[in-house]
Amino acid sequence: MDENLKYTRNIGIMAHIDAGKTTTTERILFYTGRTHRLGEVDDGNTQMDWMVQEQERGITITSAATTTYWKLSDNDKECKINIIDTPGHVDFTVEVERSLRVLDGAVAIFCAVGGVEPQSETVWRQANKYHVPRIAYINKMDRIGADFFGVVHEIEHKLSTRPVPIQIPIGSEENFIGLVDLINMKAYIWDDEASLGTRYRIDNIPSPLLNEAEEWRMKMIETLADVDDTILERYLEDHTLIKEAEIIDALRKATIKGIAIPVLCGASFKNKGIQKLLDAIINFLPSPLDIGPVSGVDPRTNEKILREPDNNAPLAALAFKIATDLYMGRLVFLRVYSGTLKSGETVLNVRTGKRERINKVFRMHANKQTPVESVAAGDICACVGLKDLRTGDTLCAIHKPIALESMEFPEPVIGVAIEPKTQADIDRLSNALGKLAEEDPTFRVKIDPDSGQTIIQGMGELHLEILIDRLKREFQVECNQGIPQVAYKEAITSSCEYRELFRKQTGGKGKYADILVELMPADDGIRGLQFINDVTGGNIPKEYIPAVEKGFREAMMNGPLAGFPLESLKVVLKDGSYHPVDSDTLSFEIAAKQAFRRAAVKCNPVLLEPIMSAEVVTPEEYVGDIISDFNRRRGKIEGMETKGGARIIKAKVPLTENFGYVTVLRTITSGRATSTMEFSHYEPVPEEIAKRIVEITKGIIL
């Protein structure tokens, strides 16, 4: 086992939009010596937001990776920290998803004024899904309305977790000057503005804060006593004798198990608190050794196998991101779980079963590449030379194959028709869209079978706007675009039994298939086709059953109402018959498609539309206007609460009614309200509106 892995951290920075993720990352790079100037989001000169679109809009669009180093003290060994800075906007949530899949830990940043915001909850759920240990950093303590303890309370109740404050702020708003470390009971004060936060004082706790600090230290120890037996014993003996190292050790174990979240505070923009955040990353977040072996399956036998994070073990790596570089071509980002990845090596792509050659291996710093000869277990890198690789594919040693768990991505909810402005750009547009679809698994391209138009689909208006802008700037393809289209789906609401006999006789061998099926809504929680084979007595030979399933799976892509895909469907194959000469797999596949087309109409099909969760923060005087506007948009108000003198309105609104909502909201509130939106679920469309949608789509009158 490589001892250096003990001093490696793979972490992500995640938060709601505008909580200060990129600013915090820039400070981390500055104080660790990775960069020599402070980049500012507002000035468009940050290292991590390198895309032109990111710098213009002041938001993060794509996750960026970098590596830096930090020492806890002069006597300690240097730790390597691989950082991925992720976007906060809901349209780019896939970037957070695939980053969390390969990270060992995360720093969740919360705004001291906004607290737990909608996207904070989304990224928290994503981290729960992949069991990522995390620490919380409450940023913007210098802003008016900052409330550290209020945010701690929100983290506990809104995210259903156990926050453990290990610091409390000294002052707040414009008086915020530092923090009290509850572990060593010292005050850390940043009062030298000229040093840009590089110099700070370690002092005794100010006397007005001493009682409060002792009270919160006691709460910290009591929480740890609930989850750690060693601390409990020491607490029962004499809590004043508990040592600093014992607290750090107990809190580290609780953090890695996911049963406690250390909470820190700071003001990244004002350069306060970052050094203590770096200490906490090393003290509390896990190394690859703490995470332990990665599990996968042997593609030959489907047996579960484990791979230790060891340089001498067989190679196992996961491709979590693909990017197109202007000079390098296709860059594939990899997390190496075991073994060593070497430049010039040939590896196995488990999905395709083909060998791929690694031409070059790079260590990344945002969009800059540094060539390296090899990358060891537990590390993150990028490489070129891989031809047929997709996000979520496993690369492994040729003679020791392993398939790691892949990733699931949300379906796109909005589409728009595009076409090149000039005839000469048709081929270039096709190539460019192919490259963008490779990079982004939530971006889809399809050709409308009726109109022949190219439809691009994504997670929101901003997502598609950025992609069209990238077509213009990176690929020099100017496009005309249509109005946005909602990605409707269909569903059946009742069951129906149907017998389909497909018989075709020509001069020679004919076609014959006979199936009895029952179509019904799928069981709860199942997406796609739920196929059950209940045929007994060999009435349909086993080799024809997969053809029936394939027929229904393909037929689901064109629903009975307006040709939109079905969200889910349950099919029970009950009986049937075959002809010893005329039957073949194609006959049964065609029979299944015809059965679906004729039976689905009898199952009371409905149209489904995407519903968005909306949250609007507004001054009190505009609440009535905003609610009446939501009602006009077929929205359902789910609740209201007061926070920091503003009202927060929560609602569910159909996406189709929500295009251009930000502009309308600015008009209603004179630009004083803000809104956030994220996809929630699909819901049946009201009957009258559904009829109109079907008429427009199919050009028929019902």
Side-chain angles (χ1 to χ4, degrees):
M1 202 70 70
D2 185 3
E3 184 63 20
N4 286 332
L5 278 180
K6 184 181 172 185
Y7 301 101
T8 298
R9 301 288 181 271
N10 293 311
I11 66 156
I13 311 284
M14 62 182 205
H16 184 86
I17 190 168
D18 216 23
K21 293 177 299 301
T22 302
T23 301
T24 302
T25 308
E26 291 293 320
R27 272 27 180 202
I28 287 173
L29 295 177
F30 180 68
Y31 295 129
T32 55
R34 188 72 175 82
T35 58
H36 302 288
R37 66 171 177 80
L38 281 173
E40 300 293 358
V41 172
D42 295 341
D43 297 339
N45 61 3
T46 60
Q47 297 276 316
M48 303 305 277
D49 285 352
W50 55 269
M51 288 173 66
V52 179
Q53 292 87 348
E54 292 176 317
Q55 292 167 357
E56 284 179 351
R57 291 168 172 80
I59 61 170
T60 304
I61 292 167
T62 182
S63 54
T66 189
T67 302
T68 191
Y69 297 85
W70 182 250
K71 275 185 182 181
L72 281 172
S73 69
D74 290 340
N75 302 325
D76 286 304
K77 188 166 178 178
E78 200 169 50
C79 271
K80 177 165 72 175
I81 307 173
N82 292 320
I83 304 172
I84 296 182
D85 178 29
T86 63
H89 199 286
V90 65
D91 283 18
F92 311 107
T93 190
V94 64
E95 293 286 340
V96 187
E97 179 91 15
R98 57 183 173 189
S99 299
L100 287 173
R101 167 66 182 84
V102 298
L103 292 170
D104 299 329
V107 177
I109 299 181
F110 299 91
C111 172
V113 181
V116 177
E117 297 170 282
Q119 191 64 7
S120 311
E121 296 181 55
T122 305
V123 296
W124 197 269
R125 284 195 299 270
Q126 288 173 314
N128 285 341
K129 175 179 169 184
Y130 293 115
H131 309 292
V132 178
R134 64 216 89 140
I135 60 177
Y137 172 66
I138 298 174
N139 188 24
K140 303 195 178 185
M141 284 301 304
D142 57 313
R143 273 188 57 193
I144 294 170
D147 181 3
F148 175 80
F149 301 108
V151 179
V152 171
H153 182 266
E154 281 190 25
I155 291 171
E156 182 176 2
H157 292 92
K158 286 190 176 181
L159 302 177
S160 305
T161 190
R162 180 179 277 178
V164 182
I166 59 171
Q167 299 171 354
I168 59 170
I170 300 174
S172 68
E173 302 182 353
E174 71 270 18
N175 298 318
F176 176 71
I177 57 166
L179 53 92
V180 173
D181 187 325
L182 300 175
I183 297 174
N184 64 13
M185 290 301 277
K186 292 285 183 188
Y188 290 76
I189 296 167
W190 284 263
D191 53 7
D192 183 358
E193 296 282 337
S195 73
L196 295 175
T198 53
R199 290 195 294 273
Y200 56 89
R201 287 190 292 119
I202 302 176
D203 212 335
N204 292 324
I205 299 170
S207 50
L209 271 177
L210 198 55
N211 288 339
E212 189 178 17
E214 284 172 352
E215 179 192 334
W216 279 98
R217 178 184 166 85
M218 199 66 197
K219 285 181 183 177
M220 175 183 73
I221 291 171
E222 285 170 0
T223 306
L224 288 176
D226 287 344
V227 298
D228 189 276
D229 293 339
T230 310
I231 295 289
L232 178 60
E233 284 174 26
R234 305 280 284 130
Y235 175 71
L236 294 173
E237 288 168 15
D238 184 353
H239 69 83
T240 58
L241 298 177
I242 298 174
K243 293 175 184 163
E244 188 181 326
E246 290 175 323
I247 294 174
I248 290 173
D249 188 51
L251 194 50
R252 178 179 178 79
K253 287 177 187 169
T255 306
I256 291 169
K257 286 179 186 171
I259 52 180
I261 308 292
V263 183
L264 301 90
C265 63
S268 298
F269 185 66
K270 293 291 175 71
N271 312 314
K272 293 169 184 171
I274 300 297
Q275 291 91 336
K276 294 299 289 178
L277 173 63
L278 280 160
D279 289 349
I281 287 168
I282 291 166
N283 278 331
F284 307 121
L285 290 179
S287 72
L289 294 180
D290 295 314
I291 297 296
V294 65
S295 66
V297 294
D298 188 326
R300 299 166 298 190
T301 61
N302 278 338
E303 286 179 14
K304 185 178 176 182
I305 48 178
L306 299 175
R307 287 281 164 84
E308 295 285 345
D310 187 350
N311 293 347
N312 298 319
L315 176 71
L318 187 78
F320 67 94
K321 179 180 165 77
I322 293 168
T324 304
D325 185 87
L326 195 61
Y327 305 106
M328 303 303 301
R330 201 163 176 265
L331 266 179
V332 177
F333 287 74
L334 296 170
R335 162 71 194 267
V336 181
Y337 286 97
S338 70
T340 305
L341 186 73
K342 295 173 184 169
S343 189
E345 187 178 19
T346 301
V347 295
L348 178 72
N349 180 347
V350 175
R351 179 181 57 83
T352 61
K354 293 178 181 174
R355 298 182 181 195
E356 299 260 17
R357 188 173 185 276
I358 310 284
N359 286 349
K360 285 184 180 175
V361 179
F362 300 101
R363 194 172 296 290
M364 297 299 295
H365 175 59
N367 64 331
K368 300 178 183 73
Q369 306 97 13
T370 306
V372 290
E373 281 304 309
S374 64
V375 170
D379 224 334
I380 289 170
C381 67
C383 54
V384 292
L386 300 159
K387 299 278 191 298
D388 185 16
L389 199 76
R390 294 183 196 161
T391 303
D393 281 358
T394 303
L395 292 178
C396 62
I398 293 168
H399 302 300
K400 294 273 186 179
I402 181 173
L404 302 175
E405 182 192 353
S406 191
M407 293 175 250
E408 288 182 5
F409 299 109
E411 292 288 315
V413 295
I414 184 173
V416 66
I418 63 165
E419 61 181 20
K421 284 188 176 177
T422 64
Q423 195 72 20
D425 281 343
I426 289 177
D427 287 342
R428 284 167 63 195
L429 175 65
S430 175
N431 292 335
L433 291 176
K435 286 180 179 176
L436 292 175
E438 258 186 2
E439 284 185 29
D440 187 348
T442 57
F443 173 59
R444 307 277 168 83
V445 183
K446 67 172 192 177
I447 305 296
D448 188 297
D450 298 324
S451 65
Q453 284 181 306
T454 301
I455 310 289
I456 58 171
Q457 295 177 310
M459 298 305 296
E461 288 179 273
L462 180 62
H463 188 195
L464 295 181
E465 182 190 322
I466 296 289
L467 288 165
I468 289 168
D469 191 44
R470 287 188 63 193
L471 283 174
K472 179 181 172 182
R473 296 198 193 200
E474 290 176 34
F475 300 98
Q476 285 78 49
V477 179
E478 296 260 6
C479 288
N480 295 320
Q481 63 190 82
I483 56 169
Q485 302 167 354
V486 172
Y488 291 104
K489 291 191 176 181
E490 296 183 25
I492 59 170
T493 56
S494 61
S495 61
C496 160
E497 194 170 278
Y498 188 81
R499 184 163 215 122
E500 175 67 33
L501 176 64
F502 173 63
R503 184 189 291 153
K504 192 173 183 183
Q505 199 64 47
T506 52
K509 181 177 178 259
K511 297 278 182 197
Y512 182 91
D514 173 28
I515 54 171
L516 176 64
V517 293
E518 185 177 4
L519 272 62
M520 62 187 84
D523 297 343
D524 287 341
I526 292 180
R527 283 171 59 191
L529 178 63
Q530 183 184 3
F531 184 79
I532 297 167
N533 175 24
D534 275 357
V535 176
T536 55
N539 288 354
I540 300 177
K542 282 184 181 175
E543 61 264 29
Y544 296 148
I545 303 295
V548 177
E549 183 177 355
K550 184 187 174 191
F552 277 107
R553 197 178 297 282
E554 290 181 2
M556 277 176 69
M557 299 312 293
N558 280 299
L561 275 179
F564 296 113
L566 260 72
E567 170 99 312
S568 59
L569 174 69
K570 184 176 182 179
V571 175
V572 181
L573 180 59
K574 294 188 163 182
D575 197 10
S577 63
Y578 74 104
H579 189 280
V581 177
D582 290 352
S583 290
D584 57 17
T585 53
L586 183 60
S587 302
F588 278 92
E589 191 181 320
I590 293 169
K593 288 178 179 176
Q594 291 186 351
F596 172 82
R597 208 157 40 240
R598 289 164 185 159
V601 182
K602 302 177 182 178
C603 296
N604 300 319
V606 293
L607 204 60
L608 304 177
E609 64 181 346
I611 304 295
M612 310 299 281
S613 287
E615 187 172 290
V616 177
V617 181
T618 175
E620 177 77 45
E621 60 262 37
Y622 302 113
V623 168
D625 292 337
I626 290 169
I627 289 175
S628 62
D629 184 62
F630 271 139
N631 292 335
R632 189 178 60 77
R633 296 171 185 272
R634 295 193 284 125
K636 294 175 189 168
I637 306 299
E638 295 202 311
M640 283 193 289
E641 57 188 70
T642 304
K643 186 171 169 187
R647 295 302 294 270
I648 298 173
I649 304 166
K650 296 184 178 180
K652 291 277 194 289
V653 196
L655 175 61
T656 186
E657 303 286 350
N658 237 32
F659 293 130
Y661 179 68
V662 174
T663 310
V664 173
L665 182 67
R666 283 178 188 149
T667 306
I668 293 173
T669 65
S670 306
R672 292 175 65 194
T674 58
S675 69
T676 54
M677 249 171 234
E678 63 180 3
F679 171 70
S680 173
H681 62 283
Y682 272 88
E683 207 172 84
V685 181
E687 198 172 333
E688 281 302 311
I689 296 170
K691 280 184 180 179
R692 200 161 65 244
I693 292 165
V694 172
E695 285 176 21
I696 292 166
T697 310
K698 298 292 260 183
I700 56 171
I701 306 298
L702 297 179

